[in-house]
Amino acid sequence: QNGRYNNFNVQASLIDEDGNYPAPAASLTGEVRCITYDTLTDSYMVTYSVHNSLDASASAMDGTSVSFYAGNPETGGIKTGTTYTDTVLTAGNTLFYTTVLPAVDSGLLYMVVNTDRYPIVLSDTSYYGIDECDYTDNVYVTSLPAILREYTEICAGDSYSYHGTMLTQAGRYYHREAQTNGCDSVWHILTLTVTDKKETEEHQTKCDSYTWNGNTYDQSGSYSYTTQSIHGCDSIVTLQLTIHNSVQNTKNEQQCDSYTWNGQQYRASGQYTYMGQTASGCDSTVVLNLTINPSRKDTLHRVSCESYTWNGTTYDISGNYTYTGQTQTGCDSIVTLVLTINDVLTTEEQQTKCDSYTWNGNTYDQSGSYNYATQSIHGCDSIVTLQLTIHNSTETKTTQTSCDPVIYQGDLLESTGVYTFVLQTAVGCDSTVILDFRLSSQQEERKVSTCGRYLWQENQQLYDSSGIYSTTYTNESGCDSTVILDLRILPEYAQQQAMEACGSYSWPESGGKYSQSGTYVWHGKTALGCDSVITLQLTIHPETERHDTVRTNTPYYWEVTNETYETSGTYSRIYQSAYNCDSIHYLHLTVRLETDIYFPNIISGETGLNGYFTGYSTTKGVHIRKLQVYDRWGNLMYEGRDLKANEREQGWNGTYKGMKVSEGVYIWIAETELPDGTIMTHKGDVTVVR
């Protein structure tokens, strides 16, 4: 919380709860000083520096990492390389380096100093509110040189102006723009292609005419067309054209119903074409203008009442009748009459009704004979006669008073009201009786819900339990009346609770969490709204948690578990206190076993004992996870992974892409894994001699 310069070297605040400074810290920043672009390798040469602030409280160890990202690493930027310092960097001093990075078109280069976290736990970090991770002053952002690529094509004999130079030959050209400090700003790369002219000839034989490149030709001959190729250069095409003529005749015909021509039958008027070929293979066309006059065969459907007259003849019997004539074009015309003859209908209807009867839209309240004229479903006259008989209904009103319910016409009347009873006369018509019934006795029901007990004013009695209660009195009409009480007594509560808990206790009634022993009272309401008081007698027993932090280079015996541990890790023992509360004891153990591993500083690059470069150790199980060798310009000459120590022929044999490298000094970096799982980084240089 109070420290300032962490930069991942110290993962804890600089001041603990006692005011002590448990750990010093370096304050590292970086700066990119110059970037140049190599056109042959398509890579950047980056010159940069690493600085430790003058007010830093510690030096930065050698091997501090510096990583480079094409774009912002927090939003997906690509990591393009990582280098390591080779000197201890004291406060106020600066280191200068040069590295080679692949060219990635991202616009911005992010340089992040000390990207490898190095957790050093020197005290119990549980005292600190948060872990500090201040890294923003480690990041340096600068613009990469812009690489502008251009692709251009010209025709043979033409030239192209490129930054003051006239180009006539195909190839790749470069133009550099530098900053005021001499570092690269913009690189222009032009790729130039030169294309020759093209001449071709085309032969065509066509009938009548031929359209070529937008022009139509109807005569044989030789024609030329000049255009441009896909590269924009002249392209001349010569057409050798032969034209043959087609033949066309016309024929007119008129027939009834159908006509057969060239083996095909036509039933509709129209223009028809027959295609043949001349001796030269061109079309020979005959056009037939055909008129088809149809014969007529019609069917006429008629429905009539009693009789029907057609073409001067009267028919009174249903049947099919035929008439033959000619159309105006001289073709047959045959018409068939399908005739249906319907008769007039007369019917009678008998009805007996009460009071009135509605028939065909008219209402009748008197007996009698009534006629209605309409049409049948076939459209002929239809006369219906109604023979109607009317009987009348009756209605009677009466009044009755009683102290008790009565039975009237089979119904039990229990309350005052007007009741209607519909009966029937001897002939089945309604006989209605309207009864005005008055019940002088009264009965009233009351529902009451209350907390604890209830005083009923009707009889001045006090009730403390739920139930159905009643009282009787005489009303003004002299009849007995009853009041019924449906009483529900809701309970009130006063409870005592005693609880024991470890560490803290969450009380469901109050929703609170208590970490101290004591007496707690909760006043509330039941779900039905009555008073509820709960008293809690709470006893809290403590839980304990202890931490042991140990660093050693030998196996460690922990008396808490009576066990010996050979590897780093966090171990724990859970036990119960005197009050059966969970307690835990932690061991934070770091074991750094002594292991020897060394790398030679000179190889011959030939077969034999000194012909290979790798790591050697007398400790079994040492694993070389990665071994990289670079030349002095930062180019990766060799990379090996998953190597076994002491297996020399698995290492580097002094070659690059199958060729022997030059004599000289080469830089190497190795990452090894010890038998206990510890990861170590080694670096140095090796000299190749022949």
Side-chain angles (χ1 to χ4, degrees):
Q1 291 176 328
N2 301 309
R4 180 161 180 252
Y5 300 108
N6 273 354
N7 297 350
F8 299 119
N9 270 356
V10 179
Q11 290 291 318
S13 173
L14 287 183
I15 302 178
D16 65 16
E17 64 174 0
D18 299 323
N20 297 319
Y21 289 79
S27 174
L28 302 180
T29 58
E31 180 183 2
V32 175
R33 297 178 173 267
C34 185
I35 302 177
T36 59
Y37 173 70
D38 189 339
T39 60
L40 296 179
T41 62
D42 191 27
S43 60
Y44 296 120
M45 181 72 72
V46 181
T47 301
Y48 66 95
S49 61
V50 180
H51 177 71
N52 192 5
S53 177
L54 184 61
D55 59 357
S57 58
S59 299
M61 69 185 78
D62 62 334
T64 298
S65 63
V66 179
S67 291
F68 297 88
Y69 293 83
N72 191 343
E74 293 185 316
T75 57
I78 300 173
K79 185 175 181 179
T80 59
T82 299
T83 63
Y84 300 87
T85 61
D86 56 0
T87 304
V88 174
L89 183 57
T90 59
N93 287 330
T94 302
L95 299 176
F96 298 90
Y97 295 97
T98 298
T99 187
V100 177
L101 302 177
V104 179
D105 188 11
S106 64
L108 294 177
L109 178 66
Y110 281 71
M111 172 184 174
V112 184
V113 179
N114 201 13
T115 57
D116 289 339
R117 299 180 180 227
Y118 186 73
I120 302 177
V121 182
L122 298 182
S123 63
D124 188 352
T125 59
S126 63
Y127 294 126
Y128 307 135
I130 59 172
D131 286 340
E132 184 177 11
C133 190
D134 176 16
Y135 69 90
T136 56
D137 55 353
N138 299 31
V139 180
Y140 183 86
V141 184
T142 187
S143 297
L144 288 166
I147 302 174
L148 305 180
R149 304 181 187 272
E150 180 181 350
Y151 298 89
T152 301
E153 296 181 358
I154 62 174
C155 300
D158 295 339
S159 62
Y160 179 75
S161 178
Y162 178 67
H163 298 284
T165 301
M166 301 305 295
L167 305 179
T168 60
Q169 300 295 322
R172 179 172 294 176
Y173 300 89
Y174 302 89
H175 176 74
R176 174 178 179 267
E177 295 180 14
Q179 301 178 4
T180 56
N181 60 0
C183 299
D184 289 347
S185 175
V186 180
W187 272 92
H188 299 268
I189 303 175
L190 165 66
T191 301
L192 182 64
T193 303
V194 179
T195 305
D196 296 328
K197 295 181 180 180
K198 184 178 181 181
E199 293 185 6
T200 59
E201 186 173 270
E202 178 181 345
H203 293 266
Q204 293 288 346
T205 299
K206 298 293 180 181
C207 294
D208 300 326
S209 66
Y210 179 61
T211 299
W212 185 59
N213 293 314
N215 297 317
T216 300
Y217 304 95
D218 56 7
Q219 300 292 328
S220 300
S222 179
Y223 305 94
S224 297
Y225 176 74
T226 302
T227 182
Q228 287 188 331
S229 67
I230 59 175
H231 306 291
C233 301
D234 288 343
S235 177
I236 301 175
V237 183
T238 300
L239 171 65
Q240 303 296 341
L241 179 63
T242 301
I243 296 293
H244 298 291
N245 295 325
S246 300
V247 177
Q248 182 170 331
N249 294 319
T250 302
K251 180 180 181 180
N252 299 315
E253 287 290 344
Q254 181 172 335
Q255 296 291 331
C256 290
D257 296 330
S258 66
Y259 178 68
T260 300
W261 184 54
N262 289 318
Q264 184 172 353
Q265 188 179 56
Y266 301 91
R267 295 183 179 275
S269 299
Q271 189 176 73
Y272 302 95
T273 302
Y274 176 76
M275 301 292 296
Q277 284 190 335
T278 64
S280 59
C282 292
D283 291 340
S284 174
T285 306
V286 180
V287 178
L288 170 65
N289 294 317
L290 177 62
T291 301
I292 296 296
N293 298 314
S295 299
R296 292 189 59 183
K297 291 183 179 181
D298 297 330
T299 300
L300 182 64
H301 293 267
R302 290 291 183 265
V303 178
S304 181
C305 298
E306 298 186 293
S307 66
Y308 180 70
T309 300
W310 183 54
N311 291 318
T313 303
T314 299
Y315 304 91
D316 57 5
I317 299 175
S318 299
N320 295 339
Y321 304 93
T322 302
Y323 176 80
T324 303
Q326 282 193 331
T327 64
Q328 293 180 352
T329 58
C331 297
D332 291 340
S333 175
I334 301 174
V335 181
T336 299
L337 171 65
V338 179
L339 178 62
T340 301
I341 298 297
N342 296 315
D343 297 328
V344 175
L345 298 178
T346 301
T347 58
E348 185 176 277
E349 179 181 344
Q350 301 283 340
Q351 291 289 345
T352 299
K353 297 295 180 181
C354 296
D355 299 324
S356 65
Y357 179 62
T358 299
W359 185 59
N360 293 315
N362 296 317
T363 300
Y364 304 96
D365 56 6
Q366 299 292 329
S367 300
S369 179
Y370 303 96
N371 294 324
Y372 176 73
T374 183
Q375 287 188 330
S376 67
I377 58 175
H378 306 296
C380 298
D381 290 340
S382 177
I383 299 174
V384 183
T385 300
L386 171 65
Q387 300 297 337
L388 179 61
T389 301
I390 296 295
H391 298 291
N392 293 326
S393 301
T394 62
E395 182 177 284
T396 303
K397 294 183 179 180
T398 184
T399 302
Q400 183 175 345
T401 302
S402 174
C403 285
D404 299 313
V406 299
I407 297 177
Y408 186 84
Q409 294 294 333
D411 292 338
L412 178 62
L413 308 183
E414 297 182 289
S415 60
T416 299
V418 178
Y419 300 88
T420 301
F421 300 90
V422 180
L423 308 176
Q424 284 190 335
T425 64
V427 294
C429 294
D430 291 342
S431 175
T432 304
V433 178
I434 301 176
L435 173 63
D436 184 0
F437 178 68
R438 298 177 183 176
L439 183 64
S440 297
S441 62
Q442 296 176 336
Q443 180 171 313
E444 182 181 356
E445 183 176 350
R446 299 176 185 173
K447 291 187 177 182
V448 175
S449 295
T450 186
C451 299
R453 56 186 180 174
Y454 178 67
L455 177 63
W456 195 18
Q457 298 296 332
E458 297 292 340
N459 58 8
Q460 294 299 309
Q461 291 190 19
L462 184 64
Y463 299 94
D464 58 4
S465 62
S466 300
I468 304 296
Y469 305 96
S470 65
T471 184
T472 304
Y473 66 95
T474 302
N475 64 14
E476 297 176 353
S477 301
C479 296
D480 291 338
S481 296
T482 304
V483 180
I484 298 174
L485 172 63
D486 184 357
L487 178 62
R488 184 183 180 192
I489 297 299
L490 306 176
E492 298 176 325
Y493 296 98
Q495 297 181 354
Q496 297 285 335
Q497 295 182 357
M499 296 297 299
E500 293 186 9
C502 296
S504 63
Y505 176 68
S506 296
W507 195 18
E509 281 74 8
S510 67
K513 187 175 183 180
Y514 305 94
S515 58
Q516 299 293 331
S517 300
T519 300
Y520 301 92
V521 180
W522 179 78
H523 296 273
K525 295 287 186 181
T526 66
L528 300 176
C530 296
D531 291 338
S532 179
V533 179
I534 303 177
T535 302
L536 172 66
Q537 298 293 336
L538 179 62
T539 302
I540 298 296
H541 299 297
E543 294 178 325
T544 61
E545 180 177 312
R546 295 181 58 190
H547 293 264
D548 291 343
T549 300
V550 176
R551 292 176 178 273
T552 179
N553 57 4
T554 61
Y556 179 72
Y557 172 76
W558 194 28
E559 69 256 358
V560 174
T561 59
N562 294 322
E563 293 184 10
T564 299
Y565 301 96
E566 296 182 353
T567 59
S568 301
T570 299
Y571 306 92
S572 64
R573 176 179 176 269
I574 299 175
Y575 61 93
Q576 299 289 320
S577 67
Y579 300 102
N580 292 323
C581 292
D582 289 339
S583 298
I584 189 167
H585 196 157
Y586 287 101
L587 170 64
H588 304 282
L589 178 63
T590 301
V591 178
R592 299 292 186 183
L593 300 178
E594 294 183 355
T595 302
D596 68 308
I597 184 168
Y598 65 93
F599 292 82
N601 60 4
I602 187 169
I603 63 172
S604 65
E606 304 291 343
T607 58
L609 182 62
N610 298 320
Y612 296 87
F613 173 73
T614 187
Y616 299 87
S617 175
T618 60
T619 302
K620 294 183 179 180
V622 175
H623 176 66
I624 304 175
R625 299 178 61 180
K626 181 170 63 176
L627 175 61
Q628 295 174 317
V629 180
Y630 296 86
D631 64 10
R632 59 181 176 177
W633 295 280
N635 297 313
L636 180 64
M637 309 302 291
Y638 165 79
E639 181 177 69
R641 292 181 180 270
D642 298 326
L643 311 178
K644 293 183 179 179
N646 306 319
E647 295 289 341
R648 61 187 185 84
E649 293 187 357
Q650 290 187 4
W652 182 47
N653 62 355
T655 63
Y656 176 67
K657 293 184 178 181
M659 303 294 292
K660 294 181 179 180
V661 301
S662 302
E663 290 186 336
V665 178
Y666 294 83
I667 306 299
W668 60 269
I669 298 176
E671 183 180 276
T672 61
E673 182 177 354
L674 303 185
D676 66 348
T678 302
I679 305 299
M680 301 181 63
T681 300
H682 314 267
K683 59 186 177 180
D685 58 76
V686 59
T687 301
V688 177
V689 297
R690 301 292 183 186

